[in-house]
């Protein structure tokens, strides 16, 4: 019997990765154990089945989304319903006819393709919110293998789930997995609270949940980075990315341009810092914000809003030889990013909700341990649960953030070293290569009692909502 690892994610990496992070960690786990990575690829074959792509030590199988699937499953239900809902932005949820049926159809189609190639000893690891019902669809096709799920984004509050078109289906999606992994203990508590509030769930003595004939275990697995790789990239001899005139007090922000990352709040807090605390200093906020999901209206709005705010702030404060906000709306290379992290005296992470936030960990790992910069970190990023020695802020409180910037720029060396060491210890504990191993070890040992194939529970979107 083979014991392959089958990783399933919404997107499949287009080429074998050359730099660290989750993709590399999964790539290594697959190369070591042997297995298959399955995910959507924009140009793979036609829309009928799985296509083998690329040249890697394991197999990569791609499927292609039709235009309608892209619209309903990806832009629609995944990114205009689940993403805002899970990030406490129910006001941005767009419930359009066809979204949830499209989401269910894609998950069912993918399950069909996977069921045809699965073998008895295989372990399946599904990633993220695009594929929540995949295990339930697989169970309905008779797949009894161990299936793990990891949610990269926050677990929603119980009250918010009522916004879903078929809220009662959600617990069934999760219960069909063998193991559900979440970023933080707070997420785990919210997930268990959801099961506790559901009369169909029964808690077993070991904390696992019996539901719909199956048993699911729920644990937190805080994700991390390749900290050693990042440190080496940051510490290498390289030309200054700014050329000769590097800003003196550099503050950095790095985020996909997403409304969950709290960028308007950050810009306003920086403005408040300039107005109230800067006294003689001329810091520069370098904000790198590559575009993302631009077909979704909420993303077009946040882009316009940020351009307006940064224009206003620069208009008020800029001088001939100083631009307070440098806002770069495109990606920069990973090597350059590492150098910029190391040069920056402060890193601002002001997410309004965030599963983990890897930028916080990358910044800490990239610092010169003898003269580190300071991480200002939102209490609402998952990373705050482990990195208590960062300067934790409430991103909704402009003055709290402005004061934190002031404190960070004035912080004595001894305190910067102490805080950086403590945060670094947290980063090392969650190193991504350890993280994959830990998840897979737990998945291999928790009770296996597949269930969740209840056809009634699967009727959730057949009405076409
Ligand atoms: C989701 C969850 C969770 C960004 N701009 C550039 C660039 N990046 C890289 C960063 C970092 C990654 O993208 C962003 O990761 P985050 O964790 O900050 O955020 P999401 O993309 O929202 O990720 C999140 C994560 O999944 C993992 O589970 O932590 O909470 O939302 O690595 O460095 N990289 C380069 N140029 C850029 O311009 N090279």
């Amino acid at each position: 019997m083979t014991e392959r690892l089958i990783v399933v994610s919404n997107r499949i990496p287009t080429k074998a990765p050359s730099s660290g992070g989750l993709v590399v960690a999964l790539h290594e786990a697959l190369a070591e154990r042997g297995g298959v990575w399955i995910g959507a690829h924009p140009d793979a074959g036609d829309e009928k089945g799985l296509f083998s792509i690329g040249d890697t030590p394991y197999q990569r199988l791609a499927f292609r989304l039709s235009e309608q699937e892209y619209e309903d499953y990806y832009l629609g239900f995944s990114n205009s319903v689940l993403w805002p809902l899970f990030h406490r932005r129910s006001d941005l949820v767009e419930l359009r006819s066809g979204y949830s049926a499209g989401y269910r159809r894609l998950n069912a189609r993918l399950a069909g393709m996977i069921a045809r190639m699965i073998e008895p000893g295989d372990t399946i690891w599904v990633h993220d919110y695009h594929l929540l019902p995949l295990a339930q669809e697989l169970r309905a096709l008779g797949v009894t293998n161990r299936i793990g799920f990891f949610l990269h984004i926050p677990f929603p509050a119980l009250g918010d789930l009522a916004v879903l078109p078929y809220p009662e289906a959600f617990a069934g999606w999760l219960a069909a997995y063998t193991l559900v992994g979440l970023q933080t203990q707070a997420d785990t508590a919210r997930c268990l609270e959801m099961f506790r509030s559901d009369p169909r769930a029964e808690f077993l003595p070991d904390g696992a949940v019996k539901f719909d004939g199956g048993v699911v275990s729920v644990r937190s697995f805080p994700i991390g980075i390749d900290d050693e790789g990042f440190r080496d990239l940051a510490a290498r001899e390289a030309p200054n990315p700014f050329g000769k005139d590097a800003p003196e007090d550099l503050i950095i922000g790095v985020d996909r341009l997403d409304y969950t990352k709290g960028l308007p709040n950050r810009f306003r807090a920086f403005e408040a810092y300039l107005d109230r605390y800067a006294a003689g200093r001329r810091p520069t906020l370098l904000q790198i914000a590559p575009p993302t999901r631009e077909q979704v209206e909420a993303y077009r709005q946040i882009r316009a809003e940020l351009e307006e705010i940064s224009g206003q702030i620069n208009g008020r404060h800029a001088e001939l030889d100083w631009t307070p906000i440098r806002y770069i709306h495109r990606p920069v290379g990973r090597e350059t990013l590492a150098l910029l992290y190391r040069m920056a005296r402060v890193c601002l992470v002001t997410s309004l909700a965030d599963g983990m936030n890897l930028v916080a960990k990358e910044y800490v790992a990239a610092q010169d341990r003898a003269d580190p910069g300071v991480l200002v970190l939102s209490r609402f990023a998952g990373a705050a649960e482990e990195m208590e020695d960062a300067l934790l802020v409430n991103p909704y409180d402009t003055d709290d953030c402005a004061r934190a910037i002031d404190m960070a720029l004035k912080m004595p060396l001894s305190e910067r070293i102490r805080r950086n060491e403590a945060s670094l210890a947290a980063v090392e504990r969650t190193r991504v290569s350890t993280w994959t191993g830990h998840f897979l070890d737990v998945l291999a040992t928790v009770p296996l009692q597949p269930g969740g194939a209840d056809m009634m529970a699967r009727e959730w979107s057949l009405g076409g909502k």
Side-chain angles (χ1 to χ4, degrees):
M1 186 161 68
T2 58
E3 294 196 349
R4 298 178 304 174
L5 171 62
I6 314 288
V7 170
V8 192
S9 61
N10 167 55
R11 286 290 293 268
I12 196 163
T14 43
K15 53 181 191 294
S18 56
S19 54
L22 174 63
V23 173
V24 170
L26 289 173
H27 172 87
E28 282 169 4
L30 283 161
E32 201 176 291
R33 292 167 191 243
V36 187
W37 192 330
I38 299 172
H41 187 298
D43 333 299
D46 59 23
E47 291 149 18
K48 296 206 178 64
L50 291 172
F51 294 82
S52 189
I53 56 165
D55 180 22
T56 31
Y58 54 90
Q59 218 185 352
R60 285 189 298 150
L61 296 178
F63 59 92
R64 182 162 170 195
L65 296 176
S66 68
E67 271 178 38
Q68 194 65 49
E69 284 171 337
Y70 185 72
E71 192 68 32
D72 292 337
Y73 145 82
Y74 179 73
L75 292 176
F77 201 76
S78 297
N79 285 313
S80 303
V81 179
L82 296 175
W83 178 271
L85 180 73
F86 283 33
H87 287 91
R88 299 193 283 270
R89 290 300 306 270
S90 302
D91 57 311
L92 295 177
V93 166
E94 282 186 55
L95 293 174
R96 292 221 189 132
S97 131
Y99 279 180
S100 71
Y103 182 73
R104 191 227 145 166
R105 267 198 306 274
L106 184 279
N107 274 276
R109 177 163 88 84
L110 181 56
M113 295 189 280
I114 295 172
R116 278 194 288 280
M117 48 81 67
I118 208 80
E119 292 171 22
D122 292 344
T123 294
I124 305 174
W125 189 2
V126 179
H127 285 262
D128 231 356
Y129 60 102
H130 315 84
L131 302 174
L132 283 159
L134 189 63
Q136 196 176 53
E137 298 294 347
L138 286 165
R139 298 297 185 215
L141 296 173
V143 173
T144 55
N145 300 52
R146 290 183 180 270
I147 314 180
F149 177 78
F150 186 75
L151 183 67
H152 290 258
I153 65 176
F155 194 89
L158 188 56
D160 290 341
L161 283 172
V163 175
L164 284 173
Y166 296 87
E168 66 285 356
F170 184 66
W173 297 347
L174 293 177
Y177 288 96
T178 316
L179 173 66
V180 168
L182 301 162
Q183 296 274 25
T184 65
Q185 290 175 24
D187 290 309
T188 306
R190 279 192 292 273
C191 180
L192 293 175
E193 187 195 2
M194 177 201 69
F195 278 119
R196 224 167 261 125
S197 73
D198 194 317
R200 297 169 293 177
E202 178 194 335
F203 275 75
L204 300 177
D206 64 353
V209 181
K210 196 162 179 208
F211 189 100
D212 192 15
V215 170
V216 59
S217 299
V218 182
R219 306 270 173 90
S220 77
F221 298 87
I223 198 170
I225 59 163
D226 167 23
D227 52 294
E228 289 164 317
F230 233 94
R231 186 197 55 214
D232 294 348
L233 270 186
R236 77 197 196 285
E237 287 295 325
N240 179 342
F242 291 97
K244 281 201 307 278
D245 300 321
E248 44 192 273
D249 281 326
L250 180 64
I251 301 175
I252 194 166
V254 179
D255 313 74
R256 283 184 306 97
L257 183 47
D258 194 296
Y259 52 79
T260 61
K261 303 291 183 184
L263 295 170
N265 308 46
R266 184 180 309 172
F267 284 12
R268 290 296 180 207
F270 181 64
E271 181 181 35
Y273 167 79
L274 293 178
D275 285 339
R276 287 174 225 158
Y277 300 94
R281 285 183 187 263
R282 297 205 306 178
T284 297
L285 170 57
L286 172 65
Q287 178 62 55
I288 296 164
T292 172
R293 304 172 197 164
E294 286 192 304
Q295 296 102 318
V296 177
E297 175 57 27
Y299 287 78
R300 287 197 289 268
Q301 280 174 13
I302 185 82
R303 177 179 179 167
E305 187 183 353
L306 279 179
E307 278 164 9
E308 192 182 324
I309 301 176
S310 57
Q312 280 168 4
I313 297 172
N314 280 337
R316 278 188 60 217
H317 289 273
E319 293 174 15
L320 286 175
D321 57 350
W322 175 47
T323 308
I325 299 187
R326 293 200 198 178
Y327 171 40
I328 300 186
H329 185 57
R330 68 189 129 73
V332 303
R334 189 176 151 83
E335 291 76 11
T336 306
L337 193 60
L339 296 175
L340 292 170
Y341 280 144
R342 196 170 174 102
M343 292 175 74
R345 304 313 303 154
V346 182
C347 175
L348 295 181
V349 174
T350 54
S351 316
L352 306 177
D354 215 333
M356 178 53 61
N357 195 288
L358 298 181
V359 168
K361 295 190 172 183
E362 291 166 358
Y363 178 74
V364 165
Q367 295 312 294
D368 174 356
R369 293 174 85 149
D371 184 16
V374 179
L375 172 64
V376 174
L377 177 60
S378 164
R379 292 182 186 284
F380 305 125
E385 200 171 88
E386 306 155 77
M387 300 171 88
E388 292 165 334
D389 287 275
L391 284 185
L392 297 184
V393 291
N394 172 0
Y396 293 97
D397 183 340
T398 308
D399 199 50
D400 186 33
C401 297
R403 266 185 277 117
I405 295 173
D406 185 42
M407 203 174 147
L409 285 172
K410 289 179 181 159
M411 190 178 286
L413 177 64
S414 57
E415 187 178 349
R416 282 189 277 127
I417 291 178
R418 181 188 64 71
R419 287 179 184 269
N420 184 254
E421 290 295 324
S423 297
L424 203 52
V427 170
E428 287 168 358
R429 274 197 300 277
T430 58
R431 184 169 292 152
V432 69
S433 50
T434 326
W435 177 85
T436 44
H438 183 206
F439 184 93
L440 290 169
D441 286 349
V442 176
L443 177 56
T445 48
V446 290
L448 172 65
Q449 189 177 321
D454 179 344
M455 292 308 285
M456 289 301 287
R458 289 178 64 249
E459 294 306 302
W460 58 277
S461 62
L462 291 176
K465 270 199 223 179

